[in-house]
């Protein structure tokens, strides 16, 4: 079992982790204020995201689940070596493993020899996943790696055998275009022409359907967004009054981006004691908190080519809502 010690630790205020403090200070000093969506996922945020994935409006998760079920055989054939030799199935971002289990089960049922390597920066996420997998798929070999994605890939590159890398969900959509490009190029570096990469991309569709997925009627996505302010109150000793903030989201078909904001409903001053910052907000001023890009086939082709990948397979659901793409 290969388990590195966790790289992040949550500490009580007023000793914030330097990255959160630095990012928040920088983001709230900008002319158009920003906070990074990577800070959504504290315990409460991760719980809310689980709720989002089950919402009627949030189609990506259940669509990808259905498409993996439908195309499991073809996807697994593309991921495993044709010769039947052992390989590594790496997954970037552990999640709850619900979608991954479709592929794991299919591979086990068809006699594949492989080790599943879930990669995450959260030890807790990996521990939870490993425990479920051990109970549900006792025959599975699991080697969790607590690391940054690129580091994990570099680490595994020294092992012999194919590396089939999964990046499911539409996590790629949360990067800005230049970050996305850099991320894919970096992933490509440690991989060889024998390796494979499976990435999930949410596709452009009826703009109203996309918008609704990020502004559900039960207000769970709003809670998820507002939870970021709760986190700053707790971890940076801030005094955001949640009653004067609202969730706002919009889809821009020109760029394919859903953008989410936190809106200050009145002029107000916020103090962040742990980083000695005082921030003024005008009435209806916004903090940009998230981008969720939606793609087209031609955008995906261009992105793959730019990073030095060849498209080996393009799988979608019957409605063309979502795609899982195999790159090599
Ligand atoms: C994690 N990520 C792919 C989600 C998305 O769809 O961009 C996060 C999310 N934000 C609001 N709803 C879901």
């Amino acid at each position: 079992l290969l388990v590195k010690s966790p790289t992040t630790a949550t500490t009580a205020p007023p000793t914030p982790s330097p990255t959160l403090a630095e990012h928040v200070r920088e983001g709230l000093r900008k002319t158009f204020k920003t906070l990074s969506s990577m800070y959504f996922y504290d315990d409460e945020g991760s719980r809310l995201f689980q709720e989002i994935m089950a919402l009627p409006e949030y189609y990506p998760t259940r669509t990808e689940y259905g498409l993996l079920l439908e195309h499991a055989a073809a996807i697994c054939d593309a991921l495993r070596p044709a010769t039947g030799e052992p390989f590594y199935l790496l997954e970037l971002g552990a999640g709850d493993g619900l979608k991954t289990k479709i592929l794991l089960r299919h591979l086990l049922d068809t006699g594949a020899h492989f080790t599943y390597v879930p990669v995450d920066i959260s030890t807790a996420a990996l521990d939870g996943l490993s425990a479920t997998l051990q109970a549900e798929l006792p025959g599975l070999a699991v080697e969790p790696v607590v690391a940054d994605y690129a580091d994990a890939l570099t680490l595994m590159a020294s092992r012999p055998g194919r590396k089939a890398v999964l990046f499911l969900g539409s996590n790629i959509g949360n990067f800005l275009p230049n970050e996305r490009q850099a991320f894919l190029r970096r992933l490509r570096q440690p991989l060889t022409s024998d390796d494979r990469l499976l990435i999930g991309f949410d596709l452009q569709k009826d703009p109203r359907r996309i918008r609704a997925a990020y502004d559900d009627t039960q207000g769970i996505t709003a809670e998820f967004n507002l939870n970021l302010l709760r986190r700053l109150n707790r971890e940076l000793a801030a005094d955001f009054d949640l009653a004067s903030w609202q969730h706002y989201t919009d889809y821009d078909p020109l760029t394919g981006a859903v953008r989410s904001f936190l809106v200050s409903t009145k002029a107000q001053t916020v103090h962040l004691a742990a980083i000695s910052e005082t921030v003024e907000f005008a009435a209806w001023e916004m903090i940009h908190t998230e981008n969720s890009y939606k793609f087209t086939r031609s955008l995906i082709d261009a992105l793959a080519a730019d990073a030095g990948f060849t498209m080996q397979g393009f799988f979608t659901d019957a409605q063309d809502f979502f795609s899982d793409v195999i790159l090599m």
Side-chain angles (χ1 to χ4, degrees), residues 72-152:
I75 290 174
C76 289
D77 282 348
L79 293 176
R80 69 206 278 179
T83 48
E85 73 218 29
F87 68 104
Y88 290 99
L89 187 71
L90 274 79
E91 179 163 28
L92 309 182
D96 59 9
L98 223 58
K99 285 175 290 188
T100 318
K101 269 185 260 169
I102 299 171
L103 302 180
L104 295 176
R105 271 208 189 92
H106 185 90
L107 287 168
L108 288 173
D109 290 350
T110 53
H113 297 289
F114 69 104
T115 303
Y116 174 55
V117 183
V119 178
D120 206 289
I121 48 160
S122 153
T123 320
L126 287 174
D127 286 350
L129 179 66
S130 303
T132 344
L133 289 175
Q134 217 156 23
E136 290 180 34
L137 304 170
L140 181 71
V142 187
E143 280 191 25
V145 172
V146 180
D148 164 66
Y149 297 162
D151 290 349

Side-chain angles (χ1 to χ4, degrees), residues 263-276:
V263 189
S264 171
T265 58
K266 60 173 194 194
Q268 55 183 318
T269 306
V270 176
H271 308 94
L272 297 99
I275 55 169
S276 308

